[in-house]
Amino acid sequence: MDKGELVLILDFGSQYTHLITRRIRSLSIFSLCISGTSSLDTIVALNPRVVILSGGPHSVHTPEAPSFPDEFLSWASSKGVYVLGICYGLHLLVQKLGGDVRVGDKQEYGKMEILVEGISGIFGNKKVGDRQVVWMSHGDEAAVLPDGFEVVAKSEQGVVASIEDPKRRLFGLQYHPEVTHSTEGMETLRYFLFDICGVTASWSMENVLDQELKVIKETVGPEDHVICALSGGVDSTVAATLVHRAIGDRLHCIFVDNGLLRYKERERVMETFTKDMHLPVTCVDATEQFLSKLKGVVDPEMKRKIIGKEFICVFDDFAHKLEQEIGKKPAYLVQGTLYPDVIESCPPPGTGRTHSHTIKSHHNVGGLPKDMKLKLIEPLKLLFKDEVRQLGRILNVPEPFVKRHPFPGPGLAVRVLGDVTEGNALDTLRQVDEIFIQSIKDAGLYDLIWQAFAVFLPVRSVGVQGDQRTHSHVVAIRAVTSQDGMTADWYYFEHKFLDEVSRKICNSVRGVNRVVQDITSKPPSTIEWE
């Protein structure tokens, strides 16, 4: 990757921040997101061509309001770095440069029209009087601009919507161009980055592949051996394939059957690994080890920690046996950590926390013990899920694997609400899930859905089956659409499809007499149940 062409996003807590990263990458420009309160040394080391200040839930007037380093703007000016403030980011620019930000008399949220009022660089060829629909989300407004800035556009209510100081390479948008509700937002970002900032579209998955192969070869010594934990999902599979290409048979893959897998998952993925991909894989059956530790546990976070700990125990044991076989200790463990995993393990800016707000503690990023004997290799940690799929295709990973829906590291433990060892919960869920997923495939919907799965609920309901009164289990089905898993909307199935799936489940799976559908987006929910 060419870091001279990096577009760096300073995150001040907006729910849309990481969408900016994705939008910019879709233009074949490399972008990264770091905390808005990062040190100047951190920013300088990344050597960005452009810095975007994100929106956020704060007001610049509050004592705990997050901000960029004091010397940031003078550094950016001295290095010719372009700066774009979005929403809260605009307010920071105005305030730090001596302008006035006030609580707005007319707070604006949702779709609104803005009107171009000046000849503008950021709006390209737009003329004075041109209108466009944008997505507003702010309570404060720029009341007095710093010297050198001009108003480029205002909202239909007269609130400043766009400002710029081209001589100092400073620009601001009061709205969110990254969301689809801003109808010309991508056009604005494209024009800003290419025509104003002069960034070149030089980033591609081929570049990523070459770079990661180089990094792996430089990191792993010529005699070092590496262990890779294969889950059966696209992330670990692509990571393993990448490392295998770099170091060959010094990679030793392990697939752990933890008793929390989907229907016939073990048989299906092992056949693909060995026959289609020719990866060196050892299958370890640790069902009893995991389930015995999970007995009686209902708290989802405790489940994740137990599972993470047991995985590491299995890996350490595998590494010990491998050491006896090859005569030396393996040095590294490969994980399919993705960028959303890293993002969701960072504290939100302005919260005052110096530690992660736990969204995910397993199995990537946060679930590893401090005394783990293996060093980590995470070749995908700067990529989103769809980018991993692109990389997988370049590496010739079989298409069915590339298209697989995400499956959580803790497996069905986070899809059985309550004790996973109680009754027949796991087997029941496997059967329900298989019917649901196969029905989606048969209907030609699988590739239209980001993730679909069934959930075993810890409740029973009264029903009538075979002319008899039953008191059986309730299961939920969930399907969502998403780009990267950071946000998601529930998938709209036709009623006929839902009717057929419900009938199949209740008629085929003993002990289930009711099927419900989860129609909650992310946020406010997560994608998984827990």
Side-chain angles (χ1 to χ4, degrees):
M1 66 189 69
D2 183 359
K3 286 194 174 179
E5 295 295 319
L6 170 68
V7 175
L8 183 66
I9 293 95
L10 296 186
D11 176 19
F12 292 105
S14 168
Q15 61 180 315
Y16 306 121
T17 296
H18 306 296
L19 190 54
I20 306 174
T21 310
R22 287 296 300 116
R23 294 287 188 251
I24 294 172
R25 289 191 185 187
S26 72
L27 298 173
S28 299
I29 300 170
F30 186 60
S31 61
L32 278 179
C33 177
I34 64 174
S35 171
T37 56
S38 297
S39 68
L40 184 61
D41 287 344
T42 299
I43 297 171
V44 171
L46 290 169
N47 190 29
R49 177 71 172 273
V50 180
V51 175
I52 295 179
L53 312 174
S54 86
H58 311 279
S59 168
V60 293
H61 300 296
T62 58
E64 70 277 9
S67 179
F68 47 70
D70 291 337
E71 300 300 317
F72 166 71
L73 289 176
S74 59
W75 167 81
S77 177
S78 68
K79 297 298 181 181
V81 174
Y82 290 82
V83 179
L84 171 64
I86 294 177
C87 199
Y88 178 78
L90 179 150
H91 298 160
L92 279 178
L93 280 179
V94 171
Q95 184 198 55
K96 293 295 184 182
L97 291 170
D100 186 15
V101 177
R102 299 173 187 169
V103 176
D105 294 329
K106 303 173 182 177
Q107 297 182 347
E108 299 176 321
Y109 299 97
K111 288 183 181 180
M112 299 199 71
E113 272 197 342
I114 63 170
L115 180 71
V116 176
E117 293 202 345
I119 302 302
S120 160
I122 199 167
F123 288 136
N125 298 320
K126 298 295 182 185
K127 301 180 181 65
V128 174
D130 284 351
R131 296 173 177 270
Q132 59 179 290
V133 175
V134 301
W135 186 260
M136 293 285 193
S137 181
H138 66 95
D140 291 350
E141 62 180 73
V144 179
L145 299 185
D147 292 341
F149 277 89
E150 293 184 357
V151 176
V152 178
K154 287 187 177 182
S155 74
E156 57 189 357
Q157 297 189 112
V159 176
V160 171
S162 178
I163 61 173
E164 60 182 49
D165 181 349
K167 291 183 179 179
R168 287 191 286 179
R169 303 181 184 87
L170 302 175
F171 301 80
L173 296 173
Q174 183 58 77
Y175 64 92
H176 292 275
E178 68 275 18
V179 303
T180 55
H181 302 302
S182 294
T183 55
E184 299 180 45
M186 276 302 292
E187 179 184 330
T188 299
L189 285 175
R190 184 183 293 108
Y191 193 88
F192 172 70
L193 293 171
F194 291 136
D195 294 82
I196 295 179
C197 305
V199 177
T200 56
S202 59
W203 190 68
S204 68
M205 281 302 108
E206 286 80 8
N207 297 148
V208 172
L209 174 59
D210 293 342
Q211 178 73 14
E212 289 304 325
L213 287 172
K214 179 182 177 182
V215 169
I216 293 167
K217 290 175 181 178
E218 291 175 349
T219 301
V220 180
E223 302 299 322
D224 287 339
H225 287 253
V226 178
I227 292 175
C228 180
L230 284 173
S231 68
V234 62
D235 306 334
S236 62
T237 300
V238 171
T241 305
L242 181 60
V243 175
H244 190 242
R245 178 173 292 192
I247 67 171
D249 288 341
R250 287 184 290 127
L251 172 70
H252 308 271
C253 297
I254 173 175
F255 178 77
V256 180
D257 184 351
N258 59 0
L260 301 167
L261 303 179
R262 290 169 289 193
Y263 184 77
K264 292 189 177 180
E265 179 88 346
R266 173 176 169 178
E267 297 88 340
R268 291 169 176 173
V269 299
M270 283 300 296
E271 182 176 7
T272 299
F273 287 149
T274 55
K275 292 185 178 180
D276 298 334
M277 302 181 65
H278 309 292
L279 288 173
V281 186
T282 298
C283 181
V284 175
D285 187 347
T287 299
E288 179 60 31
Q289 178 178 338
F290 279 81
L291 295 186
S292 63
K293 295 293 176 62
L294 289 169
K295 186 174 178 61
V297 178
V298 297
D299 178 71
E301 188 60 24
M302 184 61 67
K303 289 181 186 177
R304 286 182 175 272
K305 290 181 178 179
I306 290 172
I307 292 167
K309 181 179 180 180
E310 292 309 309
F311 265 120
I312 296 302
C313 289
V314 173
F315 299 153
D316 276 345
D317 183 60
F318 178 72
H320 179 69
K321 292 177 181 177
L322 185 62
E323 178 186 355
Q324 294 177 323
E325 180 183 327
I326 63 178
K328 64 179 303 182
K329 293 182 178 180
Y332 295 91
L333 171 67
V334 179
Q335 278 205 143
T337 308
L338 301 191
Y339 199 38
D341 297 325
V342 176
I343 290 168
E344 290 192 339
S345 296
C346 295
T351 60
R353 288 195 295 269
T354 57
H355 58 84
S356 169
H357 176 67
T358 303
I359 296 175
K360 293 181 177 180
S361 63
H362 178 81
H363 79 108
N364 295 324
V365 183
L368 303 176
K370 295 179 181 179
D371 60 349
M372 189 182 72
K373 302 178 180 66
L374 301 168
K375 291 174 284 186
L376 279 179
I377 297 177
E378 298 173 299
L380 311 178
K381 68 181 179 181
L382 295 182
L383 301 182
F384 290 94
K385 177 74 75 172
D386 56 323
E387 293 169 334
V388 173
R389 289 190 169 114
Q390 294 177 41
L391 185 59
R393 291 185 176 98
I394 297 172
L395 288 164
N396 296 317
V397 173
E399 192 66 14
F401 246 66
V402 170
K403 291 182 175 180
R404 288 195 103 195
H405 289 179
F407 187 61
L412 298 183
V414 293
R415 295 179 180 175
V416 172
L417 274 61
D419 185 350
V420 300
T421 67
E422 188 174 325
N424 203 32
L426 285 170
D427 285 339
T428 299
L429 180 57
R430 288 188 183 101
Q431 295 176 60
V432 172
D433 189 74
E434 177 71 6
I435 291 171
F436 182 39
I437 299 302
Q438 191 58 52
S439 296
I440 288 174
K441 291 178 178 178
D442 292 344
L445 303 175
Y446 190 81
D447 294 343
L448 302 178
I449 296 171
W450 165 264
Q451 189 176 24
F453 55 90
V455 181
F456 185 91
L457 302 179
V459 294
R460 291 176 180 265
S461 73
V462 172
V464 178
Q465 292 171 296
D467 294 327
Q468 293 183 352
R469 185 182 178 88
T470 60
H471 189 227
S472 300
H473 297 292
V474 181
V475 293
I477 54 176
R478 178 156 171 77
V480 298
T481 58
S482 178
Q483 278 196 320
D484 49 45
M486 298 299 297
T487 61
D489 291 319
W490 58 280
Y491 184 80
Y492 287 71
F493 288 111
E494 292 184 1
H495 289 176
K496 181 181 178 182
F497 175 86
L498 292 171
D499 176 58
E500 291 175 352
V501 167
S502 176
R503 291 176 186 273
K504 286 180 184 177
I505 291 172
C506 290
N507 290 336
S508 304
V509 183
R510 184 181 295 275
V512 174
N513 68 0
R514 195 176 297 270
V515 179
V516 298
Q517 183 189 8
D518 180 348
I519 57 169
T520 319
S521 63
K522 175 187 178 182
S525 71
T526 59
I527 290 179
E528 295 288 344
W529 286 55
E530 295 185 63

